[in-house]
């Protein structure tokens, strides 16, 4: 599969077969190759790596340790898909607030989608529209999101204690996918001389 660039990095539309093939390819990696891939990701995207293996998985673990472990496995699948389609993760911005600002924006957008949101309806509608448009513009891989959702539902079906963590797990997986979109889209400002 070739990298697709349209002015900025943009993932080509993936089919479910593409996602399944990439995940199966990932299963053939040796432990050393898998570790090398994650090490590269950690070295180039330490903020996101630390969020995945820290706060995000810990939040899920409060509801279900099993689902937190599944989240980590599926995050590896996400990294695999982006690596296979777009190449190695680029170097993260030096500004440590970059990831925080992306997560805050995603949080506001997620709240706009929630029917329980006390947000004023015009603001909620604007954020909701922005959320959908950003997903479309970034080329967020719907087939990947469907794969993740299927995996979460399948795994939860084996133990009713996992069911309460389905929504949180899916939401945080979606956050990781959107953040992956962002890191591959990020273009640092040119240095002035």
């Amino acid at each position: 599969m070739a990298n697709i660039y349209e002015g900025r990095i943009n993932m080509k539309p993936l089919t479910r077969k593409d996602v399944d093939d990439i995940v199966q390819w990932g299963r053939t990696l040796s432990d050393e190759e898998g570790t090398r891939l994650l090490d590269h990701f950690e070295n180039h995207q330490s903020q996101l790596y630390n969020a995945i293996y820290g706060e995000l998985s810990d939040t899920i673990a409060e509801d279900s340790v099993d689902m937190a472990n599944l989240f980590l496995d599926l995050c590896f699948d996400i990294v695999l898909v982006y690596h296979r389609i777009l190449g190695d993760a680029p170097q993260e911005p030096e500004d440590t607030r970059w990831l925080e600002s992306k997560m805050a924006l995603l949080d506001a957008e997620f709240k706009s989608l929630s029917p329980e949101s006390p947000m004023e309806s015009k603001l909620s509608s604007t954020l909701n529209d922005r959320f959908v448009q950003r997903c479309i513009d970034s080329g967020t891989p719907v087939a990947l999101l469907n794969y993740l959702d299927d995996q979460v539902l399948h795994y939860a079906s084996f133990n009713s204690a996992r069911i309460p963590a389905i929504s949180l797990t899916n939401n945080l997986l979606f956050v990781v996918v959107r953040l992956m979109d962002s890191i591959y889209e990020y273009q640092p400002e040119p240095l002035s001389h």
Side-chain angles (χ1 to χ4, degrees):
M1 288 179 217
N3 293 350
I4 305 297
Y5 297 92
E6 295 174 5
R8 62 190 160 107
I9 294 176
N10 196 2
M11 188 177 289
K12 75 174 186 118
L14 294 174
T15 65
R16 178 59 184 262
K17 182 176 179 346
D18 293 332
V19 173
D20 291 339
D21 288 349
I22 292 168
V23 170
Q24 287 309 311
W25 166 78
R27 303 287 184 263
T28 67
L29 296 176
S30 69
D31 288 344
E32 182 180 299
E33 291 168 320
T35 299
R36 194 173 24 229
L37 179 68
L38 276 181
D39 285 349
H40 175 86
F41 184 74
E42 180 183 17
N43 290 333
H44 286 76
Q45 291 295 327
S46 63
Q47 293 176 65
L48 181 53
Y49 179 91
N50 290 333
I52 290 169
Y53 288 90
E55 183 179 346
L56 299 180
S57 61
D58 291 348
T59 299
I60 298 169
E62 291 174 12
D63 288 342
S64 170
V65 171
D66 288 348
M67 293 297 273
N69 289 330
L70 175 68
F71 170 80
L72 294 175
D73 290 344
L74 293 175
C75 283
F76 180 76
D77 291 347
I78 293 168
V79 170
L80 273 176
V81 168
Y82 279 81
H83 169 78
R84 190 76 171 166
I85 299 297
L86 298 174
D88 287 333
Q91 187 63 47
E92 69 190 339
E94 290 182 24
D95 181 1
T96 58
R97 294 169 295 170
W98 182 81
L99 182 66
E100 291 171 23
S101 68
K102 290 290 182 184
M103 289 183 81
L105 177 60
L106 284 171
D107 183 54
E109 290 172 340
F110 263 129
K111 286 179 181 169
S112 76
L113 300 174
S114 171
E116 300 88 35
S117 175
M119 198 177 288
E120 189 264 315
S121 65
K122 185 175 180 181
L123 175 60
S124 177
S125 177
T126 300
L127 286 172
N128 190 343
D129 292 346
R130 181 178 174 178
F131 179 78
V132 171
Q133 190 59 50
R134 288 171 78 90
C135 289
I136 292 167
D137 290 347
S138 71
T140 296
V142 175
L144 175 58
L145 296 175
N146 289 334
Y147 162 81
L148 297 169
D149 183 58
D150 289 348
Q151 295 301 309
V152 169
L153 292 175
H154 179 72
Y155 187 69
S157 72
F158 292 109
N159 184 337
S160 62
R162 297 172 182 160
I163 292 172
I166 289 174
S167 180
L168 177 60
T169 304
N170 276 333
N171 288 344
L172 292 181
L173 286 166
F174 185 77
V175 165
V176 171
V177 169
R178 289 293 292 127
L179 290 171
M180 291 294 286
D181 287 343
S182 293
I183 67 171
Y184 279 92
E185 289 172 354
Y186 175 75
Q187 298 296 322
E189 296 297 321
L191 298 173
S192 56
H193 296 283

